[in-house]
Amino acid sequence: MSWASFYSDISNAFLPNELSQLMVGDTAVPIFDIPASTPLSRGVVYILADQSSNELNLTQSKALAESLSEKGWHCIVSPIPLILGNPVWAENTSEDAKGESSGAHPRIDSRSTQLDYQASAQHLVVLLNALDNYSQGHQGFRVIVSQGMTAAQVLDLGAQEKIAAPSALVTLSPFWPEAQINRAIPDVIASTSFPVLDLSLPNVNAWAHQTASKRRHKAATSLKLHYRQQSIPAQISTFSLMDNDKPPYIHILSGHIIGWTRYLGW
């Protein structure tokens, strides 16, 4: 499978005692299991580190997990591969390509997306089920943290009840680089049955920016319970004497998540 080498590369980059292996079908998925630092755990947080993300990559996800573990959350970081398909060109005549005889708008791309939405979604379903089974021994709430394209798919799968509903979902600028799917994200958020913390990151891309205000508006007009949208500032600066202090971005992100869970009464 296309994602097997991605997982293999991550496994080879760390020592065996630095990670755990989770069997997802026939594939060994490396995960980072970070226990809560308090005697009583509040529950489990699954942090999905999207391969394509610059805002929540594997290193930042581990730093976020360590920050949340200090607040009583057992965290599991799982890397998520970018699953590609083959671009398919529409069969057009030369006039059709110009949009002259077909009536197509000249700015419409005649290719399908190179990302395989269905294969990615199916892999997420199996992975999240495996993570749930892996953490069965831990009591408390279940929170999923995801970003970008992964967040868009988790929202879609949760709205369709193809995955077990989490106690809460935290999304960071959800988007999908295909117009029809991206336009549906506000409606998908409004139809979810679980609480959603919708964090908007600055300057992610135009896809995420297009739906930011629409996500908030649709949730409000649909009377969705327990929805909050907040923006992460573009410029974050702080002074610290500690060389090993976590990045300011991680402090702000974990602060929003902890504040959200406390608002929910957890």
Side-chain angles (χ1 to χ4, degrees):
M1 289 176 288
S2 60
W3 55 81
S5 59
F6 167 75
Y7 288 133
S8 178
D9 289 343
I10 293 178
S11 298
N12 294 332
F14 294 89
L15 295 173
N17 62 342
E18 293 179 312
L19 47 75
S20 301
Q21 296 288 345
L22 175 68
M23 292 306 300
V24 180
D26 297 330
T27 305
V29 175
I31 60 173
F32 299 86
D33 198 334
I34 303 174
S37 301
T38 58
L40 296 177
S41 173
R42 299 176 185 272
V44 181
V45 176
Y46 306 131
I47 303 177
L48 307 181
D50 193 320
Q51 180 186 3
S52 63
S53 170
N54 293 322
E55 291 74 25
L56 196 62
N57 57 33
L58 188 57
T59 300
Q60 293 170 331
S61 296
K62 291 173 64 180
L64 176 61
E66 292 171 359
S67 182
L68 294 176
S69 74
E70 296 170 359
K71 302 298 182 181
W73 290 93
H74 186 110
C75 296
I76 299 174
V77 177
S78 177
I80 303 294
L82 187 63
I83 301 178
L84 301 178
N86 295 319
V88 178
W89 290 87
E91 295 182 358
N92 294 321
T93 63
S94 58
E95 286 187 338
D96 288 340
K98 298 177 183 178
E100 294 175 357
S101 63
S102 65
H105 193 281
R107 292 183 61 185
I108 293 179
D109 194 343
S110 60
R111 295 174 298 174
S112 65
T113 178
Q114 292 189 29
L115 301 171
D116 195 327
Y117 189 91
Q118 294 301 325
S120 299
Q122 291 170 6
H123 179 61
L124 268 178
V125 169
V126 179
L127 175 63
L128 288 172
N129 286 337
L131 287 172
D132 278 338
N133 293 332
Y134 176 84
S135 58
Q136 281 300 313
H138 300 286
Q139 302 298 317
F141 302 100
R142 295 289 189 274
V143 179
I144 298 176
V145 179
S146 58
Q147 192 267 337
M149 292 183 285
T150 301
Q153 292 197 310
V154 173
L155 281 166
D156 189 19
L157 294 172
Q160 297 184 57
E161 299 182 351
K162 292 184 177 180
I163 58 174
S167 304
L169 173 64
V170 180
T171 63
L172 283 71
S173 294
F175 74 92
W176 190 266
E178 188 174 342
Q180 183 177 359
I181 296 175
N182 200 63
R183 282 196 301 267
I185 290 177
D187 293 310
V188 171
I189 287 181
S191 63
T192 53
S193 60
F194 42 81
V196 175
L197 173 60
D198 182 7
L199 298 177
S200 292
L201 305 176
N203 305 321
V204 173
N205 55 44
W207 294 103
H209 180 71
Q210 286 172 5
T211 63
S213 60
K214 296 176 183 177
R215 300 195 303 265
R216 182 178 63 252
H217 177 75
K218 188 64 178 181
T221 56
S222 300
L223 302 179
K224 174 173 173 54
L225 296 176
H226 304 310
Y227 172 85
R228 176 188 293 178
Q229 186 182 84
Q230 292 179 303
S231 298
I232 304 294
Q235 298 296 330
I236 304 173
S237 60
T238 188
F239 176 76
S240 175
L241 295 175
M242 300 295 293
D243 292 335
N244 61 349
D245 198 16
K246 296 181 182 65
Y249 168 73
I250 296 301
H251 282 296
I252 291 179
L253 184 56
S254 63
H256 280 306
I257 295 173
I258 294 300
W260 174 243
T261 58
R262 289 178 178 171
Y263 162 78
L264 294 173
W266 305 346

